[in-house]
Amino acid sequence: MPVSGCPHGSIHVFNCDLHCHSTCSDGLLSADDLVRRAAANGVDMLALTDHDDLDGLPSAQAMAEELGMAFVNGVEISIEWEALQIHILGFAFDSADPVLNDGLATIRSGRIERARRMSAALEKVGIAGAFEGAMRYAANPSLVSRAHFGRYLVESGVCKDLRSVFESYLVPGRPGYVDHRWATLADAVRWILGAGGIAAVAHPGRYKLSRTEMRRFLGDFKALGGQAIEVMSGSHTQEHVEVFGRLAREYDFLASRGSDFHGPGESHVDLGKLAPLPEGLKPVWQWF
Ligand code: AMP
Ligand code: MN
Ligand code: MN
Ligand code: MN
């Protein structure tokens, strides 16, 4: 399926982007605008994968239908594995599934309280008004995230860009970082599979795991029924692509491709603009 003939003898590689965010979580565009942008960028199939929230799916689906673009339900679930925050993507599930919806509501429920604690912690290092500042960016208040704090800290001149805000304030060991109880790996995989979906590890190159720990993590994920990993990601280097392409083959995981687009001017990879999946991998979208 991925390769089809085109006029003028050129080859069209099926352009699938299975990772992006709308204002239902920490993206900058509404679900509708995101879908319009994806279609304009030549995306053939899109999954909207907001953090811990499914509210954007119906309007994104309707807009994709209007534009003749294939659409897949998606979500990016925040989990904790051995004290690390990791993201698990779910694809092609039934968005009405009660267990999945209840599970996501549980993860969301502590976010406002966490945001207040982050703000109090930032206040102690001389940064005032962070809660109100972050909430101004959070179109969906129950999904207030570190990204919204990051935008406020850039806006208020504390740091010049998001990258330095995270490095200086919002990662473990820094003053604005506050622990939160996320789902377990087992919960996330069970919710996704229980709703008839496919579970994929998001941007595996981003986690601070040694090679041995990564193997243990992937082994746990596979044993729980996880089926895929994101090989092409907006946050992966060429080396990550090679490493995770090899691991996908070794563990017999399906391979995914997703920009992780959050918004124009903020994400360096736009919707549908990643390089294609390397040869020899099994694209996850062939299972949808
Ligand atoms: P949270 O779910 O509140 O822990 O926030 C996580 C979100 O913060 C991620 O989904 C990204 O959008 C954003 N984020 C995390 N790390 C970085 C970083 N180093 N630079 C920019 N954004 C980041
Ligand atoms: Mn995000
Ligand atoms: Mn993520
Ligand atoms: Mn993401």
Coordinates of all heavy atoms in Angstrom, one line a residue, residues 76-125:
E76 N -1.9 10.3 23.0 CA -0.6 10.1 23.5 C -0.7 10.1 25.1 O -1.0 11.1 25.7 CB 0.4 11.3 23.1 CG 1.8 11.0 23.6 CD 2.8 12.1 23.0 OE1 2.4 13.2 22.6 OE2 4.0 11.8 23.1
I77 N -0.5 8.9 25.6 CA -0.8 8.7 27.0 C 0.5 8.9 27.8 O 1.6 8.3 27.5 CB -1.4 7.3 27.3 CG1 -2.6 7.1 26.5 CG2 -1.7 7.1 28.8 CD1 -3.4 5.8 26.7
S78 N 0.4 9.7 28.9 CA 1.6 9.9 29.8 C 1.7 8.8 30.8 O 0.7 8.6 31.6 CB 1.4 11.2 30.5 OG 0.9 12.3 29.7
I79 N 2.8 8.1 30.8 CA 3.0 7.1 31.8 C 4.3 7.3 32.6 O 5.1 8.1 32.2 CB 3.0 5.7 31.1 CG1 4.3 5.5 30.3 CG2 1.8 5.4 30.3 CD1 4.9 4.1 30.4
E80 N 4.4 6.5 33.6 CA 5.6 6.5 34.4 C 6.2 5.1 34.4 O 5.4 4.1 34.7 CB 5.3 6.9 35.8 CG 6.5 7.3 36.6 CD 6.1 7.7 38.0 OE1 5.4 8.7 38.1 OE2 6.4 6.9 38.9
W81 N 7.4 4.9 34.0 CA 8.1 3.6 34.0 C 9.4 3.8 34.7 O 10.2 4.5 34.3 CB 8.3 3.1 32.6 CG 8.8 1.7 32.5 CD1 8.2 0.5 32.6 CD2 10.2 1.4 32.3 NE1 9.0 -0.5 32.5 CE2 10.3 0.0 32.3 CE3 11.4 2.1 32.1 CZ2 11.5 -0.7 32.1 CZ3 12.6 1.4 32.0 CH2 12.6 0.0 32.0
E82 N 9.5 3.1 35.8 CA 10.8 3.2 36.6 C 11.2 4.7 36.8 O 12.3 5.1 36.5 CB 11.9 2.4 36.0 CG 11.4 0.9 35.9 CD 12.5 -0.1 35.7 OE1 13.7 0.3 35.5 OE2 12.2 -1.3 35.9
A83 N 10.2 5.5 37.3 CA 10.4 6.9 37.6 C 10.7 7.8 36.4 O 11.0 9.0 36.6 CB 11.5 7.0 38.7
L84 N 10.6 7.3 35.2 CA 10.7 8.1 34.0 C 9.4 8.4 33.4 O 8.5 7.5 33.4 CB 11.5 7.4 33.0 CG 13.1 7.4 33.1 CD1 13.6 6.6 31.9 CD2 13.6 8.9 33.0
Q85 N 9.2 9.7 32.9 CA 8.0 10.0 32.2 C 8.1 9.5 30.8 O 9.0 10.0 30.1 CB 7.6 11.5 32.3 CG 6.2 11.8 31.8 CD 5.9 13.3 31.8 OE1 6.5 14.0 32.6 NE2 5.0 13.7 31.0
I86 N 7.3 8.6 30.3 CA 7.3 8.1 29.0 C 6.0 8.3 28.3 O 5.0 8.4 29.0 CB 7.8 6.6 29.0 CG1 9.3 6.6 29.4 CG2 7.5 5.8 27.7 CD1 9.9 5.2 29.4
H87 N 6.0 8.4 27.0 CA 4.7 8.6 26.3 C 4.4 7.3 25.4 O 5.2 6.9 24.6 CB 4.8 9.8 25.4 CG 4.7 11.1 26.2 ND1 5.1 12.3 25.7 CD2 4.4 11.3 27.5 CE1 4.9 13.2 26.7 NE2 4.5 12.6 27.8
I88 N 3.1 6.9 25.5 CA 2.7 5.7 24.7 C 1.5 6.2 23.8 O 0.6 6.8 24.3 CB 2.1 4.6 25.6 CG1 3.2 4.1 26.6 CG2 1.6 3.4 24.8 CD1 4.4 3.4 25.9
L89 N 1.7 6.0 22.5 CA 0.7 6.4 21.5 C -0.3 5.3 21.4 O 0.0 4.1 21.4 CB 1.3 6.7 20.2 CG 2.3 7.9 20.2 CD1 3.2 7.8 18.9 CD2 1.5 9.2 20.1
G90 N -1.6 5.6 21.2 CA -2.6 4.7 20.9 C -3.2 5.1 19.6 O -3.4 6.3 19.3
F91 N -3.5 4.1 18.7 CA -4.0 4.4 17.4 C -5.3 3.5 17.1 O -5.3 2.3 17.5 CB -3.0 4.0 16.3 CG -1.7 4.8 16.3 CD1 -0.5 4.1 16.3 CD2 -1.7 6.2 16.3 CE1 0.7 4.8 16.4 CE2 -0.5 6.9 16.4 CZ 0.7 6.1 16.4
A92 N -6.2 4.1 16.3 CA -7.3 3.3 15.7 C -8.1 2.5 16.8 O -8.5 1.4 16.5 CB -6.7 2.3 14.7
F93 N -8.4 3.2 17.9 CA -9.2 2.6 18.9 C -10.6 3.2 18.8 O -10.9 4.1 18.1 CB -8.6 2.9 20.3 CG -8.2 4.4 20.5 CD1 -9.2 5.3 20.7 CD2 -6.9 4.8 20.2 CE1 -8.9 6.7 20.8 CE2 -6.6 6.2 20.3 CZ -7.6 7.1 20.6
D94 N -11.5 2.5 19.6 CA -12.9 3.0 19.7 C -12.9 4.2 20.7 O -12.7 3.9 21.9 CB -13.8 1.9 20.1 CG -15.2 2.4 20.5 OD1 -15.5 3.5 20.3 OD2 -15.9 1.6 21.1
S95 N -13.1 5.4 20.3 CA -13.0 6.6 21.2 C -14.1 6.6 22.2 O -14.1 7.4 23.1 CB -12.9 7.9 20.4 OG -14.1 8.0 19.6
A96 N -15.1 5.8 22.1 CA -16.2 5.7 23.1 C -15.9 4.7 24.2 O -16.7 4.6 25.1 CB -17.5 5.4 22.4
D97 N -14.8 4.0 24.1 CA -14.5 3.0 25.1 C -14.5 3.5 26.5 O -13.7 4.4 26.8 CB -13.2 2.3 24.7 CG -12.9 1.1 25.7 OD1 -13.4 0.0 25.4 OD2 -12.2 1.4 26.7
P98 N -15.3 3.0 27.4 CA -15.4 3.6 28.7 C -14.1 3.4 29.6 O -13.8 4.4 30.3 CB -16.6 2.9 29.4 CG -16.9 1.7 28.5 CD -16.3 1.9 27.2
V99 N -13.5 2.3 29.5 CA -12.3 2.1 30.3 C -11.2 3.1 29.9 O -10.5 3.7 30.7 CB -11.8 0.6 30.2 CG1 -10.5 0.4 31.0 CG2 -12.9 -0.3 30.7
L100 N -11.0 3.2 28.6 CA -10.0 4.2 28.1 C -10.3 5.6 28.5 O -9.5 6.3 29.0 CB -9.9 4.1 26.5 CG -9.1 5.2 25.8 CD1 -7.6 5.0 26.2 CD2 -9.2 5.0 24.3
N101 N -11.6 6.0 28.4 CA -12.0 7.4 28.7 C -11.8 7.6 30.2 O -11.4 8.6 30.7 CB -13.5 7.6 28.3 CG -13.5 8.0 26.8 OD1 -13.3 9.2 26.5 ND2 -13.7 7.0 25.9
D102 N -12.2 6.6 31.1 CA -12.1 6.8 32.5 C -10.6 6.8 32.9 O -10.2 7.6 33.7 CB -12.7 5.6 33.3 CG -14.2 5.6 33.2 OD1 -14.8 6.6 32.7 OD2 -14.9 4.6 33.7
G103 N -9.8 6.0 32.3 CA -8.4 6.0 32.6 C -7.7 7.4 32.2 O -7.0 7.9 33.0
L104 N -8.1 7.9 31.1 CA -7.5 9.2 30.7 C -8.0 10.3 31.6 O -7.2 11.2 32.0 CB -7.9 9.6 29.2 CG -7.3 8.6 28.2 CD1 -7.8 9.0 26.8 CD2 -5.8 8.6 28.2
A105 N -9.2 10.2 32.1 CA -9.8 11.2 33.0 C -9.0 11.2 34.3 O -8.7 12.2 34.9 CB -11.3 11.0 33.3
T106 N -8.6 10.0 34.7 CA -7.8 9.9 36.0 C -6.5 10.5 35.8 O -6.0 11.2 36.7 CB -7.6 8.4 36.3 OG1 -8.8 7.7 36.2 CG2 -7.0 8.2 37.7
I107 N -5.8 10.3 34.7 CA -4.5 11.0 34.5 C -4.7 12.5 34.5 O -3.9 13.2 35.1 CB -3.8 10.6 33.2 CG1 -3.8 9.1 32.9 CG2 -2.4 11.1 33.2 CD1 -3.1 8.8 31.6
R108 N -5.7 13.0 33.8 CA -5.9 14.4 33.7 C -6.2 15.1 35.0 O -5.8 16.2 35.3 CB -7.1 14.7 32.8 CG -6.8 14.5 31.3 CD -7.9 15.2 30.5 NE -9.3 14.7 30.7 CZ -9.8 13.7 30.1 NH1 -9.2 13.1 29.1 NH2 -11.1 13.3 30.4
S109 N -6.9 14.3 35.9 CA -7.4 15.0 37.1 C -6.4 15.7 38.0 O -6.7 16.6 38.6 CB -8.2 14.0 37.9 OG -7.4 13.0 38.4
G110 N -5.2 15.2 38.0 CA -4.2 15.9 38.9 C -3.5 17.0 38.2 O -2.6 17.7 38.9
R111 N -3.7 17.4 37.0 CA -2.9 18.3 36.3 C -3.0 19.7 36.8 O -2.0 20.5 36.9 CB -3.1 18.3 34.7 CG -2.4 17.2 34.0 CD -2.5 17.4 32.5 NE -1.9 16.3 31.8 CZ -0.6 16.5 31.2 NH1 0.0 17.6 31.4 NH2 -0.1 15.5 30.6
I112 N -4.2 20.2 37.2 CA -4.3 21.5 37.7 C -3.6 21.7 39.0 O -2.8 22.7 39.2 CB -5.8 21.9 37.9 CG1 -6.5 21.9 36.5 CG2 -5.9 23.2 38.6 CD1 -7.0 23.2 36.0
E113 N -3.7 20.7 39.9 CA -3.0 20.7 41.2 C -1.5 20.7 41.0 O -0.8 21.5 41.6 CB -3.5 19.5 42.0 CG -2.8 19.4 43.3 CD -2.9 20.6 44.2 OE1 -3.9 21.4 44.0 OE2 -2.0 20.9 45.0
R114 N -1.1 19.9 40.0 CA 0.4 19.9 39.7 C 0.8 21.3 39.2 O 1.9 21.8 39.6 CB 0.7 18.9 38.6 CG 2.0 18.9 38.0 CD 2.0 18.0 36.8 NE 3.3 17.8 36.1 CZ 3.4 18.0 34.8 NH1 2.3 18.4 34.1 NH2 4.5 17.7 34.2
A115 N 0.0 21.9 38.4 CA 0.3 23.2 37.8 C 0.5 24.3 39.0 O 1.3 25.1 38.9 CB -0.8 23.7 36.8
R116 N -0.4 24.2 40.0 CA -0.3 25.1 41.1 C 1.0 24.8 41.9 O 1.7 25.8 42.3 CB -1.5 24.9 42.1 CG -2.8 25.4 41.5 CD -3.8 25.6 42.6 NE -5.1 25.8 42.1 CZ -5.6 26.9 41.6 NH1 -4.8 28.0 41.6 NH2 -6.8 27.1 41.0
R117 N 1.4 23.6 42.0 CA 2.6 23.3 42.7 C 3.8 23.8 41.9 O 4.8 24.3 42.4 CB 2.7 21.8 43.0 CG 1.8 21.4 44.1 CD 1.6 19.9 44.3 NE 2.8 19.2 44.5 CZ 3.0 17.9 44.1 NH1 2.1 17.3 43.5 NH2 4.2 17.4 44.4
M118 N 3.8 23.6 40.6 CA 4.8 24.1 39.7 C 5.0 25.6 39.9 O 6.1 26.2 40.0 CB 4.5 23.8 38.2 CG 4.7 22.3 37.9 SD 4.1 22.0 36.2 CE 5.3 22.8 35.2
S119 N 3.8 26.3 39.9 CA 3.8 27.7 40.0 C 4.4 28.2 41.3 O 5.3 29.1 41.4 CB 2.4 28.3 39.9 OG 2.4 29.6 39.9
A120 N 4.1 27.5 42.4 CA 4.6 27.8 43.7 C 6.1 27.6 43.7 O 6.9 28.4 44.3 CB 3.9 26.9 44.8
A121 N 6.6 26.5 43.1 CA 8.0 26.2 43.0 C 8.7 27.3 42.2 O 9.8 27.8 42.6 CB 8.2 24.9 42.4
L122 N 8.1 27.8 41.1 CA 8.8 28.8 40.3 C 8.8 30.2 41.1 O 9.7 30.9 41.0 CB 8.0 29.0 39.0 CG 8.2 27.8 38.0 CD1 7.2 27.8 36.8 CD2 9.7 27.8 37.5
E123 N 7.7 30.4 41.8 CA 7.7 31.6 42.7 C 8.9 31.7 43.6 O 9.5 32.8 43.8 CB 6.4 31.6 43.5 CG 6.1 32.9 44.2 CD 4.8 33.6 43.7 OE1 3.9 32.9 43.2 OE2 4.8 34.8 43.8
K124 N 9.3 30.5 44.1 CA 10.4 30.5 45.1 C 11.7 30.9 44.4 O 12.6 31.3 45.1 CB 10.5 29.1 45.6 CG 9.5 28.8 46.7 CD 9.9 27.6 47.5 CE 8.8 27.2 48.5 NZ 8.5 25.8 48.5
V125 N 11.8 30.7 43.1 CA 13.0 31.2 42.4 C 12.8 32.5 41.7 O 13.5 32.9 40.7 CB 13.6 30.1 41.4 CG1 14.1 28.9 42.2 CG2 12.6 29.7 40.4

